[in-house]
Every structure is written in structure tokens, then in C-alpha cells.
Amino acid sequence: MPFYQLLCISTHYSEFKFIRTLVKTSAMHIFNSGGVVRDIKFMGTRILPSKMKRHTKAQTIGDYWTIDFDSNPKVMQELEARLRQDPTVLRWTTLKLGSRLMECVEKPVQTEQATFKELKEFRQAIADRSFL
């Protein structure tokens, strides 16, 4: 399954129950469709770079949040269709971070031969010492 990141800007309300409901329904849609939600981050409330209008009046303040998830492309398209119909969502974008898990994980640092040589020398120095 491909690994995606959804960045969403939603309308700011004084109560967080609206954004909580939006995030929860998005995550449950992914989960119920066989996907895996890896991370949910609330990036805070910010002043928008320009007025944004979607379904209602123009907004100047928005709540930014992201979801990192694994799912098939059909689930991602269904999620975008839900966000398109939701009146609290101002903007969203989905980024494909990788098609396999190993593409997304940083490669481990390779151990150099010099490190093994230094370890052998250290062990030899300890073995050569005589402790009284």
C-alpha cells in the first residue's frame, strides 16, 4: 500500500469539537477501508495567507492538521471526495510519500570496516593489560 500524507486547512471555530469530528471521521474512513493511520498532527491555528472561501463566507483564520496513512489509491480518492463535500474544509492536498515502506524509511548507517578494526584493537589492549 502506498504511504500518503494529507495536509488539510479547515475553518477555525472557538470549540475544537468540529475539527475533532473532521479528523476522527477521516481517520475512521481510512481505518474502516483497510488502511493504517500512522500519525495525526495538529499544526495549530494560523492566519491564512489570503482570504479563502469554500461553501460559506470568506475565512481569514484556519486550523492546519496532517494525517500520515497507508492505504490503496481508491481509499485516498474516496477521502478526498468526502473532504470536498465537507463545509468546514477550506483546502487540502495529498502527497504520496512512497509506494513501499522501505522507500519512506531512512537507510541505516552502514558500519565501516575501520570501526571493526578499532574494536579489535580495543579488545586486544584490554586483554594485554594485567590487572593486579
Side-chain angles (χ1 to χ4, degrees):
M1 287 190 284
F3 183 53
Y4 296 103
Q5 182 179 50
L6 171 74
L7 171 66
C8 185
I9 305 171
S10 59
T11 305
H12 177 69
Y13 291 99
S14 58
E15 299 175 2
F16 281 102
K17 67 179 182 179
F18 296 106
I19 191 169
R20 181 176 177 228
T21 304
L22 176 61
V23 172
K24 186 176 179 181
T25 56
S26 300
M28 290 305 294
H29 174 71
I30 295 166
F31 182 72
N32 291 336
S33 301
V36 177
V37 176
R38 302 261 180 216
D39 192 18
I40 299 173
K41 291 181 187 172
F42 179 69
M43 298 168 59
T45 302
R46 301 180 184 179
I47 297 174
L48 300 173
S50 62
K51 288 184 179 180
M52 293 185 185
K53 183 177 178 182
R54 184 145 186 105
H55 298 292
T56 59
K57 65 177 185 167
Q59 302 291 327
T60 56
I61 299 174
D63 294 325
Y64 287 67
W65 54 276
T66 62
I67 295 181
D68 296 340
F69 62 97
D70 295 315
S71 72
N72 59 31
K74 184 178 179 183
V75 173
M76 189 260 312
Q77 291 171 351
E78 292 171 356
L79 180 62
E80 286 186 344
R82 284 182 173 215
L83 293 174
R84 190 175 295 114
Q85 295 173 352
D86 195 320
T88 61
V89 175
L90 297 174
R91 299 284 190 275
W92 73 92
T93 187
T94 306
L95 304 172
K96 183 177 179 182
L97 300 177
S99 58
R100 292 182 298 180
L101 180 62
M102 294 309 293
E103 291 177 1
C104 304
V105 177
E106 293 182 22
K107 294 183 179 179
V109 177
Q110 298 294 324
T111 307
E112 298 178 9
Q113 293 295 332
T115 306
F116 288 123
K117 185 178 178 183
E118 291 170 2
L119 182 60
K120 283 183 180 180
E121 290 172 359
F122 179 70
R123 286 183 181 167
Q124 187 65 33
I126 291 175
D128 291 343
R129 284 189 137 174
S130 60
F131 294 100
L132 300 175

